[in-house]
């Protein structure tokens, strides 16, 4: 069984409650935005898109999987490079379809199962972890990477999404260790263009999350 996971797949797995199934309340509030940002990171890593001056442009490579093709089709409709925050917001309108494709991949890899739930006229599918040990290993590896300071660019991208996705409580239940993890994350070195581009994506994620929170506050 192939358990090679993308950034977005790791992110989604970490948002599932390991005991009860379903999505963790705290992190699920920002999952839609961070998931869109994670896919932008994947496309950048694969050179399907480029990032310069906080803007996204079409890159030199073609995507190989359906999710990346789906997202790229939206990018190519715009001739001029657009800001990263524009694309994160834009992809938010398609996040249900994006989640559906991510979940389908995880089901195929036998890492989750989906249980149908109904209430009145509403129907949804509740995810449950099938391989809790594998997800625990993902968390342990993140812990090691963060505190030892050794990681690849893709692993750096996963680390950079922990705070905006509010996953620190999930991965670091001990308060003191969580505090130290937050300090480590804020001090991650940015010593090449890929890591700098990652930082720009994270800044865009945070700005979209803040804008949505402000809009929700105004509405209430």
């Amino acid at each position: 069984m192939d358990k090679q996971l993308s950034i977005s797949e790791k992110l989604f797995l970490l948002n599932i409650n390991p005991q009860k199934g379903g999505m963790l309340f705290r992190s699920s509030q920002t999952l839609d935005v961070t998931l869109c940002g994670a896919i932008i990171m994947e496309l950048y890593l694969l050179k399907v898109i480029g990032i310069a001056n906080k803007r996204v442009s079409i890159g030199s490579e073609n995507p190989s999987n359906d999710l990346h093709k789906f997202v790229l089709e939206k990018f190519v409709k715009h001739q001029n490079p657009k800001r990263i925050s524009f694309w994160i917001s834009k992809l938010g309108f398609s996040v249900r379809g994006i989640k559906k494709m991510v979940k389908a991949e995880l089901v195929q890899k036998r890492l989750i199962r989906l249980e149908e739930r109904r209430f009145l006229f509403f129907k949804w599918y509740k995810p449950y972890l099938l391989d809790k040990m594998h997800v625990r290993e993902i968390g342990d590896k993140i812990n090691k990477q963060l505190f030892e300071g050794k990681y690849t660019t893709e692993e750096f991208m996963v680390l950079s999404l922990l705070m905006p996705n509010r996953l620190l409580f999930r991965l670091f239940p001990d308060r003191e260790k969580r505090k130290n993890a937050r300090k480590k994350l804020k001090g991650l070195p940015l010593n090449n263009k890929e890591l700098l581009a990652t930082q720009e994506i994270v800044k865009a994620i945070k700005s979209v999350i803040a804008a949505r929170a402000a809009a929700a506050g105004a509405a209430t």
Side-chain angles (χ1 to χ4, degrees):
M1 177 174 56
D2 180 15
K3 289 188 179 180
Q4 185 67 31
L5 298 173
S6 66
I7 298 168
S8 54
E9 289 169 350
K10 289 178 183 177
L11 194 69
F12 193 88
L13 285 173
L14 291 171
N15 275 267
I16 297 175
N17 188 314
Q19 282 78 41
K20 301 178 180 180
M23 309 309 287
L24 293 165
F25 177 74
R26 183 188 294 270
S27 58
S28 67
Q29 294 176 304
T30 59
L31 176 60
D32 288 3
V33 178
T34 50
L35 194 63
C36 293
I39 292 166
I40 290 175
M41 288 179 179
E42 292 170 12
L43 293 175
Y44 174 73
L45 200 62
L46 294 169
K47 299 182 180 179
V48 174
I49 62 170
I51 293 176
N53 300 321
K54 302 179 183 179
R55 295 178 182 273
V56 175
S57 59
I58 304 303
S60 58
E61 300 296 325
N62 292 318
S64 58
N65 70 42
D66 291 339
L67 175 55
H68 293 161
K69 289 176 182 177
F70 173 76
V71 173
L72 182 61
E73 285 175 2
K74 299 183 179 301
F75 289 154
V76 297
K77 291 179 181 179
H78 292 265
Q79 297 295 323
N80 298 322
K82 298 288 185 180
R83 294 180 70 87
I84 304 168
S85 55
F86 168 87
W87 280 118
I88 292 174
S89 298
K90 189 78 171 175
L91 292 176
F93 293 105
S94 304
V95 76
R96 288 185 66 183
I98 289 171
K99 282 182 175 178
K100 186 176 180 179
M101 284 186 271
V102 172
K103 286 187 282 188
E105 282 294 317
L106 293 173
V107 168
Q108 187 175 358
K109 293 174 181 177
R110 300 180 185 178
L111 287 167
I112 67 170
R113 67 177 176 88
L114 300 175
E115 186 176 293
E116 184 179 311
R117 295 296 179 92
R118 291 179 180 269
F119 178 73
L120 298 177
F121 302 107
F122 302 99
K123 182 176 77 172
W124 69 97
Y125 293 90
K126 184 175 180 179
Y128 291 85
L129 294 177
L130 286 178
D131 193 340
K132 295 181 182 180
M133 180 62 70
H134 188 69
V135 178
R136 190 178 299 117
E137 288 172 357
I138 292 172
D140 291 343
K141 191 173 181 180
I142 286 172
N143 192 310
K144 186 176 180 181
Q145 290 162 356
L146 181 60
F147 285 96
E148 292 186 0
K150 298 177 182 178
Y151 37 75
T152 65
T153 299
E154 182 174 346
E155 290 165 346
F156 177 91
M157 289 176 169
V158 175
L159 291 172
S160 69
L161 292 170
L162 299 181
M163 286 179 64
N165 195 197
R166 300 177 183 174
L167 280 169
L168 294 189
F169 279 85
R170 160 79 165 83
L171 294 170
F172 306 100
D174 178 76
R175 183 178 180 181
E176 191 61 31
K177 193 163 187 179
R178 186 165 62 248
K179 182 179 178 181
N180 291 334
R182 188 175 285 110
K183 288 180 180 179
K184 289 281 188 180
L185 288 168
K186 288 180 178 179
L188 291 176
L190 305 169
N191 50 20
N192 62 50
K193 68 176 184 178
E194 287 79 16
L195 304 189
L196 288 169
T198 300
Q199 184 189 50
E200 293 302 328
I201 297 170
V202 171
K203 285 181 179 178
I205 290 170
K206 290 179 178 178
S207 70
V208 174
I209 290 172
R212 289 191 177 187
T220 57

